[in-house]
Every structure is written in C-alpha cells, then in structure tokens.
Amino acid sequence: MAKERHWIMFWDMVSPLYDLFENIYNSKVYTGTGKKVAELIEPSDEVLECACGTGAISIFIAQKCKRLVATDFATGMLKKAAKKCRNYSNTTFKKADITNIKCKGGCFDKAVAGNVIHLLSEPEKALHELWRVVKPGGKIIIPTYINMSKGTGTAAVKFITLLGADFKRQFDLDSYKKFFADKGYSDVEYHVIDGRMPCAIAVITKKS
C-alpha cells in the first residue's frame, strides 16, 4: 500500500510538466500515437481508456467515438486530462485501477491502455481485465514505448527513472511481440509510430 501511494504521488507530482516534457522531447510520437489510435475507433464505439494520463490519447478518441470513459489512478493526471477534453460532452473521467476495473464484462467496444504495461508488476492482470470488459468482436488497443529500439529512448528512460519512475520492463518491437505471444495472445496486429522514443501499438481482437 505504501508503495502504491508513493507511485500515485510520483505521477501527481509530474502531471503539470508531463505534456511539456513529451512535446519537447518526443512530440512526433506523442501526437502521432493519439492520431493512430483514433483511426482504430468507430463513431458508434463506446470506449474505455485506462491509464489515460494527461489525456494525450483521450483528446483524439473523444473526437471519434460515441462515448469515452477515461480512467487513471493519479488525480493530478485526471485533472489535466479532463481540462484538455472539457469541450467533449461524450467523455467522462474516473479514478480507477487498470488491474481491477469496476464494471461488468462486455461493456465496451474498445479498450485502450497507453504506456502503462511496462510499469506494472503483474501486467497479465491488466490484460485480463481489458479482455474482460470488451465485447466479443471488440478490440484492445495497447500503445507502449519501445524505447530499447533507439539509444535516445534508453537515455530518456534513465532520466525518468532518476526522477522516480519505476519501469518493470523495457521493449523493442521484437520483445514487445514476444511479450503478447508469451501471454497467449495470438490475434495481434502492430503499428509503429517512429520518433526519438518510438511507440508500438498492439491491437488485440477479441473473437466472437
């Protein structure tokens, strides 16, 4: 519990500067990821977003979907995201834990979890929950930085770690694909947004 409080406090602390850092360091990927995720969203979709952070992806999803429920466990991040998306009446923000989503199964057409898998001690719990809340035929969309693809990405992670972030694992594209294969997910497509710290978007289809 103490470790969880420390983790929440870290993200609350960095929330005012998070967008500034990303836009200066990795702007092409930061905006490109949101745009690519939005391409995977239909106008009729009801979408759950976990670990929404400051709303970098939320702002693009909100413009496409029927309804968006965006969640995070850090209040500071949620406040920033809500402000960013204040003009979209189809969007609500809630504090929530990605490993224990409080809703019944099969509620959403799409579930999105951006740049969080590498931070979790037990990512399989999050994957299970995302799978559970998506309708049969729906998609789970998981963008994650593949920082090991480039030296610049590795250096950035070292800097963020010094500030207090806790990376449980790091990926390049091959190890990211292996991660999902090892977890038993076979129907996965991948999109890569290239830049200083590239991002790989895994798209898992929940077959009917």
Side-chain angles (χ1 to χ4, degrees):
M1 184 64 70
K3 189 172 183 179
E4 180 179 322
R5 283 197 298 269
H6 171 78
W7 195 224
I8 293 171
M9 286 174 63
F10 168 77
W11 291 109
D12 280 336
M13 178 186 71
V14 302
S15 61
L17 300 174
Y18 189 82
D19 284 337
L20 179 64
F21 171 78
E22 287 282 8
N23 282 316
I24 291 173
Y25 175 76
N26 204 32
S27 178
K28 179 183 175 183
V29 176
Y30 198 49
T31 57
T33 298
K35 290 177 180 178
K36 186 61 186 181
V37 170
E39 290 177 10
L40 303 169
I41 305 298
E42 301 296 331
S44 61
D45 281 345
E46 299 203 2
V47 182
L48 172 70
E49 184 185 7
C50 296
C52 69
T54 60
I57 297 175
S58 316
I59 188 68
F60 292 100
I61 298 174
Q63 297 172 54
K64 288 287 299 287
C65 69
K66 178 180 179 181
R67 181 171 75 101
L68 170 63
V69 178
T71 70
D72 201 285
F73 68 0
T75 303
M77 291 290 192
L78 285 170
K79 287 180 178 178
K80 294 282 288 185
K83 183 177 180 180
K84 192 174 292 181
C85 297
R86 62 187 178 276
N87 293 327
Y88 297 97
S89 59
N90 63 339
T91 302
T92 57
F93 292 87
K94 298 180 179 180
K95 187 171 183 177
D97 177 0
I98 189 174
T99 65
N100 186 20
I101 301 169
K102 302 294 187 181
C103 74
K104 64 181 181 180
C107 290
F108 295 95
D109 301 289
K110 308 280 169 62
V112 180
N115 291 312
V116 67
I117 290 296
H118 58 295
L119 302 174
L120 301 175
S121 298
E122 298 177 291
E124 60 278 357
K125 288 186 177 181
L127 293 172
H128 177 269
E129 283 291 88
L130 294 168
W131 181 273
R132 181 182 67 80
V133 301
V134 167
K135 299 174 184 177
K139 295 182 185 295
I140 299 135
I141 302 167
I142 308 177
T144 302
Y145 287 131
I146 47 173
N147 61 284
M148 292 183 69
S149 300
K150 294 186 177 181
T152 51
T154 303
V157 167
K158 288 180 180 177
F159 173 71
I160 297 168
T161 300
L162 286 173
L163 294 177
D166 184 13
F167 285 73
K168 303 299 185 185
R169 55 192 55 77
Q170 297 182 51
F171 298 106
D172 57 19
L173 182 58
D174 288 340
S175 60
Y176 194 51
K177 291 180 177 180
K178 185 177 185 301
F179 169 80
F180 287 102
D182 289 347
K183 300 297 182 186
Y185 297 94
S186 56
D187 191 5
V188 187
E189 63 181 86
Y190 295 90
H191 308 272
V192 176
I193 311 300
D194 197 18
R196 271 187 171 182
M197 188 187 294
C199 184
I201 303 171
V203 184
I204 304 169
T205 299
K206 183 177 180 179
K207 293 184 177 180
S208 303

